[in-house]
Structure formats: structure tokens, C-alpha cells
Amino acid sequence: MRTGFVAVVGRPNVGKSTLVNQLVGTKVSITSPRPNTTRHGVRGILHRPGAQAVFVDTPGLHRPRTALGERLNETAGASLEDVDVVVAVVDATAAIGPGDRMVLARALGVVDRGAQLLVAVNKVDRATSEQVLERLATAATASDERGEYFPVSARTGEGIDALVDAVMERLPEGPAYYPEDMVTDTPEALRVAELVREQLLQRVREELPHSIACRVTEWEWPRIRCEIVVERDSQKAIVIGRRGEVLKAVGTAVRKELPPGAYLELFVRVEKHWQQRSDALDRLGL
């Protein structure tokens, strides 16, 4: 049997989480158009006859401006340790810049330790043929032509089968890490908190998403209490919405993704400058 761990890395907003969901065939990571949506190393498990790939979705590698940003980079870096394959993701609709080159350099460092490199040029459904060819050529040059290169669309599924086949071919022989009916090892409480944050990201203004953190503070099934943390009173008002409309819409949407009978309570709390404080990051599990 072939089994192994596959780190999916890239700069923010290149579509890593959508790609992982497409690779696994079901939703294991939350997604949004906002950069740095992913804050944890989320594992998605793909089972094939005689093979099992554990894809690790990672936060976007970037130049951090806050203590939270530093933590996210650390999480992404830790996910690159002891993996068998690295899938570096770049955006077909944007020129390959310093951020992408930094990601590819980090990936090559893992290749030097024995991993295999695959480069996914994502969002080909939104790019011209000329753009895709240019990105493929530039990515090959930036990675010293030490990988294999795949044009894909995480949104439509184009090119995904070829990428999956390439991953499976490069996994080492070994025992399965997870049972066949398991698609992620994300704790259920963390999954619910992330679903709440995903819904909030769809509904709040552009300057607010980074200031939102969510965590489940009580779990006595079917009652779940989730705390939403923001940094200012004005943000609290936005998250609650006029007459509680935002919170109500978020709760309704999240309950649709939970087992029947779940009772979800949402509370909003202000914790000033939590993104810059190590003690707050620890408390929030970041």
C-alpha cells in the first residue's frame, strides 16, 4: 500500500483550501475570498484502492505584520516537516511574484530533504491560455525545474485527476494512517468554530475579517456555545448586525451543516489587540 502526507502550500489567496477540498472530494477546509482564511493545519484524507494520501491545508505564507501572522507562518512551516510530497500552488491569473518565489524556495528546501515537488497552477478557468503557459514556464524556472507542473482549477475540478494520480504515484509504501471512513481528523469543536468564522467572512466588511476569531467554549450535545472574538466595540456591532440579523443568519447557515437537533449559541466578545498578544493567541488556540 502507498501512504503518505502531502503539504499544500502557497501564498495567501491562491486557492489552497478549495484545492484541498477538491482533492479529497468533500469539504474539510473552510473557504472564502479573503486572504489568510486558513489558520490551522487541516488534514483531508483521500482513500484510493491500495493508497491513502493525507493532504495538509496550510495558512498562506506571507510577510507577517502581527503576532497572529507570525503564528500562521509557523503553522505553515511546521506542516512542511516530515512530508512525502509538497504541492506548491500559484495563481494563474497573477504574475508569479516574490511571494510565490519564496514559497517555491521553501518547497525546494523540503525537496532537499527527500520530498517530491508538484506545482499546481490554479484558477486556469479564469486565465487565458497565454497566461497559463507563462505561469507554468515561470514556475518551472523559479523551482529549478525540479518538480512536475499541473494546470488546474480547484473551482471546476479541471486537471485534478492528473494531479491526484501524480500524488499517489509518489507516495512511499507503508500502512494506512487512518480508517477508510475518515476524511479529516479535525476535532468537531474546531470544525464548528471554523464554520462560524466562514459564515462571518461572507458577511462582514473587508477590514474586519482578520479581527475575527471563533472558538467553541461549551459542548453539551445538542447544545454548542461558540464565542466570537473581535478587537473593538464597533466590530462587535457589525458582527451582531442590526437587530441581530448577522448573527441570526450565521447561526442558521452553520446549523445546516451540523447533525439534526444541534442547538448553536453564538456570543460576541471584545478582546482588544488580540492579534498582537501571545497570551490571547494561546487562549484562542492559534
Side-chain angles (χ1 to χ4, degrees):
M1 184 169 186
R2 292 185 177 274
T3 61
F5 286 83
V6 184
V8 180
V9 298
R11 60 176 174 77
N13 228 26
V14 295
K16 298 181 298 299
S17 297
T18 303
L19 179 60
V20 168
N21 290 341
Q22 187 72 252
L23 290 166
V24 176
T26 191
K27 179 179 177 178
V28 295
S29 285
I30 66 169
T31 61
S32 87
R34 319 288 192 182
N36 290 125
T37 296
T38 300
R39 290 178 176 173
H40 304 271
V42 178
R43 294 187 180 95
I45 305 145
L46 175 62
H47 305 272
R48 285 283 180 86
Q52 181 185 93
V54 184
F55 292 97
V56 185
D57 187 15
T58 63
L61 287 164
H62 63 292
R63 184 174 296 174
R65 299 178 181 178
T66 64
L68 172 62
E70 293 175 358
R71 290 277 181 100
L72 297 184
N73 274 356
E74 290 171 3
T75 297
S79 298
L80 285 168
E81 297 178 5
D82 198 24
V83 297
D84 304 291
V85 180
V86 179
V87 176
V89 186
V90 298
D91 187 341
T93 67
I96 291 177
D100 299 296
R101 295 178 188 278
M102 180 268 291
V103 169
L104 291 169
R106 292 285 295 270
L108 288 177
V110 184
V111 171
D112 288 338
R113 301 198 295 269
Q116 301 288 314
L117 173 64
L118 305 176
V119 178
V121 178
N122 189 28
K123 305 183 184 179
V124 298
D125 57 307
R126 303 177 185 177
T128 65
S129 299
E130 291 76 14
Q131 286 177 317
V132 174
L133 290 173
E134 192 278 332
R135 306 303 183 251
L136 288 166
T138 305
T141 301
S143 57
D144 298 332
E145 298 185 355
R146 295 171 65 186
E148 191 169 349
Y149 307 87
F150 297 83
V152 303
S153 169
R155 188 174 67 89
T156 68
E158 180 181 350
I160 295 299
D161 289 343
L163 180 57
V164 168
D165 289 343
V167 168
M168 293 302 189
E169 290 170 2
R170 287 161 176 75
L171 297 179
E173 293 184 357
Y177 292 99
Y178 297 95
E180 290 187 7
D181 60 348
M182 195 170 184
V183 295
T184 184
D185 63 358
T186 301
E188 195 65 15
L190 175 58
R191 174 177 171 268
V192 171
E194 288 290 88
L195 289 174
V196 171
R197 190 164 64 88
E198 179 182 43
Q199 292 299 322
L200 285 168
L201 293 179
Q202 295 179 10
R203 292 170 168 83
V204 298
R205 297 203 301 255
E206 291 186 5
E207 65 269 24
L208 184 53
H210 293 298
S211 297
I212 295 174
C214 301
R215 65 168 182 166
V216 169
T217 56
E218 294 180 32
W219 187 293
E220 294 182 4
W221 186 261
R223 178 178 172 271
I224 305 168
R225 185 184 193 276
C226 183
E227 181 180 74
I228 301 164
V229 178
V230 295
E231 294 186 303
R232 297 192 299 272
D233 289 327
S234 59
Q235 295 172 342
K236 179 177 180 178
I238 293 170
V239 167
I240 294 173
R242 185 179 181 184
R243 299 178 181 176
E245 291 175 352
V246 173
L247 276 192
K248 182 178 179 180
V250 168
T252 299
V254 172
R255 279 191 291 272
K256 291 179 180 179
E257 300 197 47
L258 300 179
Y263 179 71
L264 180 64
E265 297 178 329
L266 300 177
F267 294 85
V268 186
R269 180 172 63 83
V270 175
E271 183 157 349
K272 294 184 178 180
H273 309 300
W274 68 260
Q275 292 186 76
Q276 297 285 6
R277 294 167 38 210
S278 295
D279 62 321
L281 296 175
D282 291 341
R283 188 163 54 254
L284 292 167
L286 295 166

